[in-house]
Amino acid sequence: MEKAREILFSEKGMQIVNALFFLSLIFYRSGLLFIAYLVWIAYLALCMRHTQAKGGRIVYSALMGFAAIMVCLNLYFLLRG
């Protein structure tokens, strides 16, 4: 688990998140979008934990909320459709 945190918080962390979102565009309806959002939430949580600025924490929290809403909406439309 510690190794995954180190990889996610390194310079390649955001590249991994971006690659997952790109793959979710290619493989639509595969469930990869949920994984991409969950990895993004984990990345934002690590960033929020390491920041000292209060404004940064607010921005990271807002983005985490947005990602959580998108996961719920995508799950709803996946199950509905």
Side-chain angles (χ1 to χ4, degrees):
M1 188 61 137
E2 189 65 32
K3 181 80 170 164
R5 282 185 193 166
E6 289 177 19
I7 292 172
L8 192 60
F9 198 63
S10 69
E11 290 182 12
K12 293 186 178 187
M14 198 59 200
Q15 291 176 352
I16 293 169
V17 172
N18 289 337
L20 285 171
F21 277 113
F22 181 72
L23 288 174
S24 70
L25 287 172
I26 295 172
F27 302 109
Y28 190 68
R29 292 201 180 261
S30 66
L32 196 57
L33 187 61
F34 298 109
I35 295 170
Y37 274 118
L38 292 175
V39 171
W40 189 38
I41 289 171
Y43 176 78
L44 290 171
L46 284 174
C47 289
M48 189 170 75
R49 194 180 242 179
H50 286 91
T51 188
Q52 297 294 328
K54 189 172 185 176
R57 289 181 186 263
I58 292 170
V59 170
Y60 290 136
S61 297
L63 289 173
M64 285 173 60
F66 172 75
I69 289 170
M70 292 304 294
V71 167
C72 293
L73 282 174
N74 284 312
L75 185 61
Y76 171 74
F77 286 118
L78 182 68
L79 294 176
R80 185 173 163 244

